Amino acid sequence: MSKTASGGLTFASLGSGSKGNATLVSDGETHLLVDCGFGLKETERRLARLGLHPRQLDAVLVTHEHGDHIRGVGPLARRHRVPVYLTPGTWLSGRLGELPHRHWITPQARFAVKGLVVDPITVPHDAREPVQFAISGSGHRLGLLTDLGHPSAHVVEAFAGCDGLVLECNHDRRMLAEGPYPASLKRRVGGDWGHLANVQAAWLLQRLGLDRLQRIVCSHLSEHNNRPELALEALVPLLDGDDSRLRIAAQDDGLAWQTLG
């Protein structure tokens, strides 16, 4: 039996970070898993922790082909016959294996999975055809916005008007500069096609506007180049010092169900 709440749009994280990412979105009837970066057994364990069996999933939506987002997609789809939605570019990476029920995503072309409406949005990231998603249901809109190198004008426009936002706060610029990564990886992570720094997440959040946002979730924090308190420190001033709307999606513990509405 699902632990998701009825009467609103709910979401939860199985875990978020460089070792694996997966987010659940539900209206109580339709259950979507966005990405699946954990192995099959670990995915099943984390789903059970949130009150879902894999066969309750109506679809897996894939953002891009990096391993921390797709590791479990193929095994989950094959074992439990879950439909997978992805761009042709992501499929052509050749990293997913056989997918019994495959559906193409066209960026900027809205589609529906039962009661949930999905907007796939192109983002600047170093993958073949990456997208992120805004998902609407029960009168609310949730933006899932991770894995982008910079907050482009297109992203700002596409994610305006959300009631909830899962936002990448990948690294603190100073920690990245002084950290253990080789120079080439530092340039990739901090570049325009890599990942968002805390200060960039704050800038983007300010442009999107905060009036409607009921929940803001800091996600995809780097194990080596960020700390939760630094991510919160960057965003709390935008909320007049009130952190009650902020949450952290952790790598190991994920995030319990959150309700919009």
Side-chain angles (χ1 to χ4, degrees), residues 82-170:
V82 183
V84 177
Y85 290 71
L86 72 169
T87 64
T90 298
W91 168 250
L92 289 171
S93 69
R95 297 179 181 178
L96 285 135
E98 180 189 356
L99 298 175
H101 302 286
R102 186 182 67 213
H103 300 268
W104 295 134
I105 287 173
T106 301
Q108 282 64 249
R110 176 175 292 178
F111 64 95
V113 181
K114 294 173 63 176
L116 294 176
V117 176
V118 182
D119 289 303
I121 298 157
T122 296
V123 294
H125 191 51
D126 56 354
R128 295 178 66 111
E129 194 178 9
V131 292
Q132 295 288 308
F133 299 106
I135 300 175
S136 302
S138 300
H140 296 89
R141 180 174 168 90
L142 172 68
L144 304 173
L145 187 51
T146 67
D147 293 78
L148 69 157
H150 66 279
S152 65
H154 169 69
V155 166
V156 173
E157 179 180 2
F159 283 89
C162 288
D163 301 288
L165 186 65
V166 179
L167 176 62
E168 178 171 51
C169 297
N170 176 257

